[in-house]
């Protein structure tokens, strides 16, 4: 998947069925049901990752980005 240098939006990622399936299979599947998801959908991926960095370990973020790139 083309992440557009981190500028792809969270919403664009979630429109990709393979990306949604990847998230659904992860331990973070609960995020798909979060009421905050709508607020994050217009955020660029890099901005969302910066915010996620306060509660997710860096290796988890890197792994997720790597998986998205391989889609």
């Amino acid at each position: 998947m083309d992440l557009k240098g981190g500028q792809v939006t969270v919403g664009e990622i979630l429109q990709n069925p393979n990306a949604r399936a990847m998230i659904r299979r992860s331990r973070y599947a609960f995020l798909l049901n979060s009421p905050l998801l709508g607020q994050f959908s217009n955020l660029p991926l890099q901005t969302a990752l910066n915010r996620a960095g306060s509660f997710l370990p860096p290796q988890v973020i890197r792994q997720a980005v790597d998986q998205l790139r391989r889609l």
Side-chain angles (χ1 to χ4, degrees):
M1 174 175 214
D2 180 9
L3 301 181
K4 302 176 187 176
Q7 296 307 304
V8 64
T9 67
V10 172
E12 289 174 301
I13 291 170
L14 294 175
Q15 288 175 1
N16 181 305
N18 293 325
R20 268 185 106 67
M22 181 197 86
I23 296 167
R24 200 173 291 118
R25 290 187 306 265
S26 77
R27 61 182 162 175
Y28 302 104
F30 67 91
L31 293 173
L32 293 173
N33 297 319
S34 171
L36 297 175
L37 191 59
Q39 295 175 2
F40 281 88
S41 65
N42 291 325
L43 284 181
L45 175 62
Q46 191 57 54
T47 302
L49 293 176
N50 289 342
R51 291 183 183 182
S54 63
F55 63 92
L56 291 175
Q59 66 271 19
V60 170
I61 293 173
R62 277 193 305 275
Q63 181 182 33
V65 170
D66 289 343
Q67 288 176 339
L68 286 172
R69 282 191 183 117
R70 288 193 296 266
L71 293 179

